[in-house]
Amino acid sequence: MQKERKRNIFVAATYAGTLLLGLILGQNYSDQQGFNSGGSLVPIGLSDNSYKIQQVVDLISSRYVDSINIDSAQNGAINHLISHLDPYSAFLMPNESQAQSEILEGTFEGIGMEYFNLNDTLMVVGVISNGPADKGGFKVGDKIIRIGNKKISGALVSKEEVEKLMRGKRGTTVEIAVEREYDQEPILLKAVRDQINVSSLDVAYMLKPSVGFIRIRRFGIKTAEEFKDAIIDLRKQGARNLVLDLRDNGGGYFHIAIKMASEFFEDKRLLVYTEGAHELRKDYHSFASGNYTQGKLIVLVNERTASASEVVAGAVQDWDRGLIIGRRTYGKATVQELFNFADGSTINLSIARYYTPLGRSIQRKYSPNWSNMKDYVTMYNGLWNLDTTYHHHESYQTGLGKKLYGGGGIVPDISVEIDSNQISLIYQELVKSSLIEQFVYSRFAKKLPAYSIENFLQGYTLPDAEYESFIEFLTSQGLNIPFKKQEDLHDLIQSDIEALLGRYYFGREAYFKVKNRYDQFVNQALTELQIVPNPS
């Protein structure tokens, strides 16, 4: 084990958000928990039993009746030990650690192409502008039939295998055969793998003439710089108000969250502090002269806003800097540090808790749920009981007299009710089955857009006949929706289809711009800013 130990602290989210589309960028484009590179593993414990685990490993290695994979046994023992500490400490195998590091770094080696598995054929649904795939001549709508010498179309190839075929060292070439509409023969294309840069900002644009909108996916290494550039650009366009969307943002780098939150303050303010049994209190202050210190600020949150996102929302709320709109956040206020093994595996260990400027810990209460441990196969399933109970005996008051509480996440200043249609079993089944994507890509992929992006975003509405066709498609797939439920889900499904069309025709940003036209969180924000909201 290495001796030196770096002290880069970060806050990691504890869940993985899954996109509807696969991404061939050298990795799966999934919003997983955020990790920062930390220290090397140091010797643990000082008691007489410090080396008991190592003694057992040595004993098994030298005396056990059969030969075993001792590395696998050690990994299992470590995983068992770490999983019993708290819900957020974790042992990561080398491939897991590398994948999560790449996500937050925002750079990796690939070809920059998104795909969707349509009827066991990989259909290109997105190409990064000026990336390797774009330079190689790939187009949205292409169907991948072969990668190198491996047949893809109709071959039931796993996502992991496709990813492995696409990935490779920078400068190497991948040869891909595609089918293209109006071409009778397959086309052979080549892409030279390169470093791909993916922004952690989903979108930044003028929502209304005086309102800027920024949605952040995670707090990666470049997020603060990207946010600063976006703020400066939006202000040049006339933004006097800002809506910051942190919904579904599971966290990321702790120090990046602090750096980004500093943009909202013109002087040095305490933004957060950390403390633990073996960690002395450490205060983190904003940097002076942020780039958005005066305008109105609204932060959108939901139940999947966690960790580093809650650091930002907590500072904004405690200092009365802006309004928090949405639903109660996840409630994760522990700080992790990453310790590295020589083989590339890592331990993500909780070392401290963080507290908002007023001293609130918004951590969910957690306790072991031993009743779920029925056997070794399912021993980790549901190990932790989590609840969002508030500590009403821990009340805090902001400078403007707002009363806040500790425990259980951040309560928004203005709540947005849950859309019962979004959480309905039928809609959840639609999302899980990707039937909406299948309908859109099979029905509209062959058509070129009859709109400019501006006209599409402002005026396109899915015709009623197309919605009826979608219902017929669902019936053909064995999913029969009662007529009343068809009416209830109409607006939600319509916005999903329109957003996917926008993404397919005009790129990723168009997806969020279309979704925001109907978004109840966004409309509530516009109402609070005394601006006419979007029609719903």
Side-chain angles (χ1 to χ4, degrees), residues 285-352:
H285 293 86
S286 61
F287 308 103
S289 304
N291 286 281
Y292 190 78
T293 62
Q294 297 298 323
K296 291 183 179 180
L297 172 64
I298 290 179
V299 180
L300 305 182
V301 299
N302 64 5
E303 59 277 5
R304 291 180 295 276
T305 300
S307 197
S309 297
E310 292 173 297
V311 170
V312 175
V316 169
Q317 189 176 53
D318 281 17
W319 285 114
D320 292 310
R321 175 60 185 87
L323 282 176
I324 309 298
I325 293 180
R327 294 198 280 271
R328 190 199 305 195
T329 62
Y330 181 82
K332 179 187 177 297
T334 55
V335 179
Q336 282 73 48
E337 186 172 349
L338 205 62
F339 298 88
N340 304 313
F341 285 99
D343 67 349
S345 59
T346 54
I347 287 179
N348 174 33
L349 188 67
S350 297
I351 63 168

Side-chain angles (χ1 to χ4, degrees), residues 11 34-35 104 200 216-224 244 246 249-254 256-258 260-261 306-312:
V11 176
F35 289 89
L104 284 190
S200 55
I216 300 178
R217 183 185 317 130
R218 67 177 73 84
F219 287 92
I221 196 67
K222 299 179 181 178
T223 301
L244 173 62
L246 296 181
N249 184 320
Y253 289 130
F254 181 79
I256 296 298
I258 294 167
M260 199 200 85
S307 197
S309 297
E310 292 173 297
V311 170
V312 175

Side-chain angles (χ1 to χ4, degrees), residues 206-212 234 237-241 526 531-532:
M206 292 298 292
L207 185 64
K208 293 289 183 178
S210 64
V211 183
L234 290 174
Q237 297 180 55
R240 300 187 303 276
N241 309 281
L526 292 174
I531 294 173
V532 178

Side-chain angles (χ1 to χ4, degrees), residues 72-110:
S72 178
Q74 285 180 317
N75 289 339
I78 295 171
N79 187 50
H80 180 83
L81 177 63
I82 297 298
S83 67
H84 284 67
L85 299 178
D86 65 86
Y88 314 111
S89 294
F91 174 64
L92 305 174
M93 295 300 290
N95 60 323
E96 297 172 318
S97 181
Q98 179 182 358
Q100 291 171 339
S101 177
E102 287 178 343
I103 287 173
L104 284 190
E105 293 297 323
T107 60
F108 37 83
E109 295 175 355

Side-chain angles (χ1 to χ4, degrees), residues 369-383:
N369 183 21
W370 305 113
S371 62
N372 277 8
M373 296 181 61
K374 298 178 181 179
D375 52 54
Y376 286 107
V377 176
T378 63
M379 64 188 303
Y380 300 124
N381 293 343
L383 175 59

